[in-house]
């Protein structure tokens, strides 16, 4: 004789099976970034994690800077699939994707946070052209976002390129950034981030550059005397997924990830409003003797003129592909001015 479950019990069994299937499909995704949990990349990552976990059965495990090695290590781990997500500046991906060095052409990006946010949100170069280049390296480019105006820290005041003469200046291992500081008159010295504080402390180098929040949070002001904001750049970073992993996801999961990225993007642009000024206040409170100087338009002009040669170097390094990206970026920037 056939046996039938009561409707209520059948529904409960079905729900249980659905839950088991859901749990079986749930995954833990690993996401590494180049900063601490309470710094800009970490704030973005936490918002992304929150959105993913609120809208799926997946969990996101976060790995701040240093927990899985240096930037080169986390990039390799992302490309091989050990990591599902990685946040890394084009400064470190320049050797893989030469065109990504365009973000180090001096005076290309504006400093206005709202204009920058709109540019990164709508740029054809970023959202249509760069993904193809990242895909060639086994990476799905999910977004790029700005982290704040880059300022120089030195032992002596800087009012023009002559003041950087003979100054050993730490730069990321990025050919175009090396060329920028050569053009500015300094002696560029590539160093892993983990060695920078000690190198400043012992005088191996005399300068470095970073957004103000990072200078404050890493206490770079303890081993330097002057901060100079010349308006030459805004730190850019990129969030990527391992492409094989991403392509293997369901359409539903891909949409959920992109929605989480969009929410985190809006959150981080909003989070940065006033962050530069707040960081200066914290630095001056911690070290009252600290000089923080913002160069006038007149003082910046020699840096602007020196930076023009760096754009030419970028075009020499990247050829026609680099020219197309640079031209499109300029058109995208013009659209939000």
């Amino acid at each position: 004789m056939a046996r039938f479950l009561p409707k209520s019990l059948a529904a409960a069994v079905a729900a249980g099976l659905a839950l088991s299937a859901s749990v079986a499909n749930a995954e833990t995704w690993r996401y590494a970034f180049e900063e601490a949990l309470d710094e800009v990349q970490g704030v973005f990552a936490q918002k992304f994690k929150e959105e993913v976990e609120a809208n799926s059965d997946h969990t996101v495990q976060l790995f701040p800077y240093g927990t899985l090695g240096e930037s080169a290590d986390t990039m390799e781990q992302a490309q091989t699939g050990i990591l599902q997500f990685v946040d890394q500046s084009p400064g470190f991906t320049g050797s893989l994707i030469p065109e990504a060095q365009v973000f180090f052409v001096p005076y290309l990006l504006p400093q206005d946070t709202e204009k920058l946010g709109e540019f990164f949100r709508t740029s054809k170069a970023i959202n249509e052209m760069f993904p193809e280049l990242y895909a060639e390296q086994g990476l799905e480019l999910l977004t790029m976002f700005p982290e704040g105006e880059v300022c120089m820290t030195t032992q002596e005041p800087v009012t023009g390129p002559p003041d950087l003469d003979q100054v050993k200046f730490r730069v990321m291992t990025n050919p175009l950034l090396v060329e920028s500081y050569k053009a500015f008159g300094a002696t560029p010295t590539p160093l892993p981030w983990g060695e920078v504080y000690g190198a400043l402390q012992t005088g191996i180098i005399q300068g470095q550059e970073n957004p103000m929040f990072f200078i404050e949070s890493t206490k770079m002001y303890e081993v330097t005397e002057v901060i100079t904001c010349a308006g030459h750049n805004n730190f850019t970073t990129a969030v990527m997924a391992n492409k094989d992993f991403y392509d293997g996801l369901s359409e539903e999961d891909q949409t959920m990830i992109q929605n989480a990225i969009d929410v985190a993007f809006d959150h981080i642009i909003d989070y940065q409003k006033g962050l530069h000024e707040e960081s200066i206040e914290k630095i001056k409170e911690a070290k009252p003797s600290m000089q923080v100087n913002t160069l006038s338009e007149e003082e910046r002009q020699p840096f602007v003129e020196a930076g023009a040669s760096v754009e030419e170097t970028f075009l020499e390094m990247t050829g026609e592909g680099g020219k197309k990206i640079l031209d499109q970026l300029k058109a995208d920037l013009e659209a939000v001015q």
Side-chain angles (χ1 to χ4, degrees):
M1 144 174 205
R3 297 186 179 182
F4 297 94
L5 291 171
K7 283 186 179 179
S8 59
L9 183 55
V13 170
L17 289 171
L19 180 62
S20 298
S22 173
V23 170
N25 291 329
E27 296 179 356
T28 297
W29 295 338
R30 295 154 62 90
Y31 179 147
F33 46 97
E34 295 178 314
E35 296 169 8
L37 202 58
D38 60 351
E39 292 168 346
V40 170
Q41 290 183 19
V43 172
F44 182 99
Q46 288 185 77
K47 192 65 176 178
F48 174 77
K49 169 184 169 72
E50 180 186 309
E51 289 297 310
V52 167
E53 294 179 356
N55 293 289
S56 75
D57 294 316
H58 306 303
T59 55
V60 179
Q61 190 176 6
L62 300 180
F63 295 90
Y65 175 78
T67 53
L68 296 176
E70 292 277 353
S71 296
D73 302 311
T74 55
M75 177 52 73
E76 184 180 338
Q77 290 159 21
Q79 288 181 292
T80 56
I82 295 170
L83 289 170
Q84 283 72 45
F85 300 97
V86 66
D87 185 336
Q88 192 164 106
S89 161
F92 288 112
T93 51
S95 55
L96 287 175
I97 306 165
E99 294 87 347
Q101 295 179 90
V102 72
F103 294 102
F104 293 91
V105 172
Y107 297 98
L108 176 66
L109 299 178
Q111 300 304 338
D112 182 275
T113 305
E114 288 190 19
K115 283 182 183 175
L116 269 173
E118 187 62 19
F119 160 68
F120 278 91
R121 188 181 284 108
T122 60
S123 167
K124 181 179 177 183
I126 288 172
N127 297 301
E128 296 180 27
M129 297 172 78
F130 270 117
E132 295 177 8
L133 299 174
Y134 278 77
E136 291 171 7
Q137 302 300 327
L139 299 163
E140 179 75 22
L141 179 62
L142 298 172
T143 192
M144 290 183 173
F145 62 89
E147 291 196 56
E149 179 181 354
V150 169
C151 297
M152 300 179 271
T153 71
T154 52
Q155 304 304 338
E156 301 292 336
V158 174
T159 57
D163 294 322
L164 289 173
D165 185 39
Q166 303 299 311
V167 172
K168 289 184 179 175
F169 204 97
R170 181 265 176 177
V171 293
M172 289 182 282
T173 50
N174 177 293
L176 204 69
L177 194 55
V178 168
E179 290 303 316
S180 292
Y181 274 94
K182 278 184 183 175
F184 288 167
T187 304
T189 308
L191 271 182
W193 177 249
E195 298 176 22
V196 175
Y197 187 100
L200 284 167
Q201 196 170 33
T202 55
I204 293 171
I205 56 173
Q206 293 86 45
Q208 64 88 44
E209 66 161 32
N210 261 300
M212 196 66 74
F213 81 87
F214 202 68
I215 295 170
E216 187 274 320
S217 63
T218 57
K219 301 188 186 300
M220 284 295 118
Y221 57 83
E222 293 180 344
V223 287
T224 194
E225 299 302 321
V226 185
I227 298 173
T228 305
C229 299
H232 64 292
N233 210 340
N234 197 295
F235 197 87
T236 297
T237 194
V239 181
M240 300 152 270
N242 172 277
K243 186 145 183 67
D244 288 342
F245 153 75
Y246 187 82
D247 288 346
L249 293 173
S250 66
E251 189 175 331
E252 182 184 8
D253 271 349
Q254 288 183 357
T255 300
M256 180 272 299
I257 285 171
Q258 195 55 60
N259 288 342
I261 286 286
D262 291 345
V263 170
F265 180 94
D266 289 341
H267 177 68
I268 208 61
I269 295 299
D270 188 58
Y271 172 81
Q272 290 182 69
K273 290 175 183 173
L275 185 62
H276 178 90
E277 292 76 17
E278 289 168 21
S279 301
I280 292 175
E281 287 177 16
K282 288 180 182 177
I283 290 169
K284 287 185 171 178
E285 187 178 332
K287 186 176 180 178
S289 65
M290 194 77 194
Q291 285 188 51
V292 181
N293 302 321
T294 300
L295 299 189
S296 66
E297 289 298 321
E298 188 179 345
E299 289 171 323
R300 292 179 186 196
Q301 199 53 40
F303 285 108
V304 174
E305 290 166 7
S309 66
V310 182
E311 182 172 316
E312 292 304 314
T313 303
F314 169 76
L315 293 172
E316 289 168 14
M317 285 179 176
T318 58
E320 188 59 32
K323 184 179 186 308
K324 284 180 181 176
I325 284 211
L326 180 60
D327 288 347
Q328 186 60 54
L329 275 178
K330 286 182 176 179
D332 296 339
L333 285 163
E334 189 68 30
V336 299
Q337 292 300 332

